[in-house]
Amino acid sequence: MTTGALVRVPPRARRGEVVEITAMAAHPMETGLRPGADGRLVARNIVHTFTCRYDGAEVFRAELHPAVTANPYFAFTTVATRSGPLEFRWEDERGEVIVATATIVVE
Amino acid sequence: MRRRAAAALLLCAGLAGSAAAQGLPAAQRQSGFESMSPSTQAMQRDDDANPGMLSVRDGEARWVRPDGAAGRACADCHGDARVSMRGVATSHPRWDATLGEAVGLSRRIALCRERHQRAPRGAPEGVERLSLSAFVAHASRGLPVRPDPDVRLDPVRERGRRLFERRMGQLDLSCADCHDARWGRRLGGATIPQGHANGYPLYRLEWQALGSLQRRLRNCMAGVRAEPWPADAPEWVELEAFLQVRGAGLPLETPAVRP
């Protein structure tokens, strides 16, 4: 299984600017309906929650359900208020967590 | 009778010279990228939205990680892949003198792992080989496909051309019937592409994953209801070597995105 995540956060922004953020994690999003190579169903395992925290405060949250593509991709906006880290977190049904971070400098 | 007629046709094709042997004229060649929807094209162009980039990054991590009994990483010998691997993917398959046969990029990586890292070669469609192939091929992104001029590859390419033009399966279609004669027309809801191999390994939305050229060719063979060759059959690399000549000059797109 491929691992990791790709996030895009503008490295710099003006205070009050609306910035676009994109995030994509490597995840198969197994529906539980698909037969594997041995003909038996592959157990369901999807990312159920995605969150983004900006300098500690949650700015985006999504609940995911079956029929979302593998390697789910999110694009959303937030207001650049202050310099700080953005933490991205994907949690799947097996309890595994994918984490990615990026930093924005606000002037 | 029919077989004799076919043999005569093959002979004519052979006599027609190199232009026929390369399929489409260079001016008409176009990547499958051109017939994709604007949204799929945008997905391929944006490195933060192209899911194939997850595999490229995964391959990058594997490139620098020591592995095998030798405890060496790819980077210990080859250094920075962005420099040392630039252009490598544009000219595979190449001739391997030790084996005395043509070898594609993924198998070349497996052989290198076996010979120098003393590591297991890994399954052909496994994550490890796909990710490393994607990372190495990504170092050549944008460079034109440039078949290796090695003459030892010529008979391999010639066998590949015959395979490309040979009818197969219950639908009795050859690769050329669709991808030379009917490209740009519709097959159900999809536009028939010219069938070039300039973006592999690539992310196919239908697969929801990165996959190899061989996987794509297997899909096509199943589509015409032919039985795909065994995984280690020489036909795969022969066809790949011919596709390389047929798509010469097209920019390498790895990791491409295709519907």
Side-chain angles (χ1 to χ4, degrees):
Chain A
M1 187 172 127
T2 313
T3 54
L6 296 172
V7 297
R8 179 168 62 205
V9 175
R12 295 178 172 279
R14 291 186 311 279
R15 192 175 308 275
E17 188 182 341
V18 175
V19 292
E20 192 193 55
I21 291 162
T22 71
M24 176 169 57
H27 199 282
M29 296 293 279
E30 281 297 348
T31 57
L33 305 170
R34 192 178 68 92
D38 59 358
R40 298 159 89 170
L41 291 185
V42 179
R44 174 173 146 161
N45 180 31
I46 63 171
V47 169
H48 58 78
T49 308
F50 166 70
T51 54
C52 173
R53 302 177 82 83
Y54 175 17
D55 203 22
E58 187 173 293
V59 292
F60 188 87
R61 166 179 287 266
E63 278 178 27
L64 287 81
H65 296 274
V68 173
T69 167
N71 311 312
Y73 171 84
F74 289 101
F76 53 93
T77 54
T78 191
V79 179
T81 49
R82 57 191 173 275
S83 298
L86 283 101
E87 192 190 272
F88 303 84
R89 197 178 157 86
W90 294 260
E91 295 169 48
D92 79 11
E93 290 174 335
R94 281 196 201 147
E96 289 188 25
V97 178
I98 303 165
V99 178
T101 53
T103 307
I104 188 168
V105 175
V106 178
E107 304 162 319
Chain B
M1 190 62 207
R2 191 173 161 201
R3 192 171 298 166
R4 199 174 299 162
L9 271 175
L10 269 179
L11 194 66
C12 289
L15 292 172
S18 62
Q22 292 180 14
L24 298 159
Q28 280 182 27
R29 272 174 220 169
Q30 64 171 42
S31 165
F33 180 86
E34 307 298 334
S35 51
M36 300 200 305
S37 71
S39 61
T40 314
Q41 289 183 346
M43 183 190 266
Q44 177 173 322
R45 279 201 198 99
D46 181 353
D47 278 354
D48 293 307
N50 179 341
M53 287 306 292
L54 292 162
S55 299
V56 172
R57 294 288 159 252
D58 186 54
E60 187 175 18
R62 292 171 192 273
W63 181 263
V64 296
R65 193 183 302 154
D67 200 1
R72 273 193 284 186
C74 307
D76 290 342
C77 293
H78 297 290
D80 184 353
R82 273 161 286 215
V83 181
S84 64
M85 292 293 126
R86 190 167 161 76
V88 167
T90 62
S91 59
H92 270 78
R94 280 192 195 161
W95 189 259
D96 185 285
T98 312
L99 294 174
E101 53 189 278
V103 166
L105 183 65
S106 170
R107 184 149 178 239
R108 153 72 50 231
I109 291 170
L111 288 169
C112 202
R113 283 177 58 69
E114 233 172 22
R115 290 170 184 169
H116 305 297
Q117 286 182 306
R118 284 184 274 135
R121 57 169 61 182
E125 314 274 331
V127 168
E128 178 183 81
R129 268 170 73 172
L130 284 173
S131 290
L132 276 171
S133 300
F135 175 62
V136 170
H138 179 253
S140 305
R141 184 157 70 165
L143 297 178
V145 171
R146 204 185 296 274
D148 191 341
D150 192 335
V151 291
R152 289 173 295 184
L153 289 166
D154 287 348
V156 180
R157 292 174 181 133
E158 178 56 23
R159 286 197 293 276
R161 185 183 65 79
R162 287 198 200 132
L163 290 169
F164 191 85
E165 292 170 356
R166 192 175 81 193
R167 289 167 174 270
M168 58 173 83
Q170 288 179 323
L171 300 192
D172 201 26
L173 288 168
S174 70
C175 309
D177 284 338
C178 284
H179 299 290
D180 274 353
R182 289 176 181 80
W183 65 270
R185 289 161 74 175
R186 313 283 288 180
L187 182 64
T191 303
I192 301 173
Q194 290 182 355
H196 293 297
N198 60 322
Y200 286 89
L202 57 71
Y203 193 92
R204 223 173 150 220
L205 301 178
E206 185 188 315
W207 293 336
Q208 297 274 289
L210 194 86
S212 66
L213 174 64
Q214 192 188 119
R215 182 173 179 186
R216 185 66 193 89
L217 295 174
R218 281 204 308 269
N219 279 187
C220 237
M221 288 179 78
V224 298
R225 298 183 203 155
E227 188 179 344
W229 303 301
D232 55 354
E235 280 87 346
W236 300 114
V237 77
E238 291 167 0
L239 204 44
E240 185 180 352
F242 171 66
L243 289 175
Q244 195 76 352
V245 178
R246 186 173 171 270
L250 292 173
L252 208 82
E253 296 174 18
T254 311
V257 177
R258 292 291 182 267

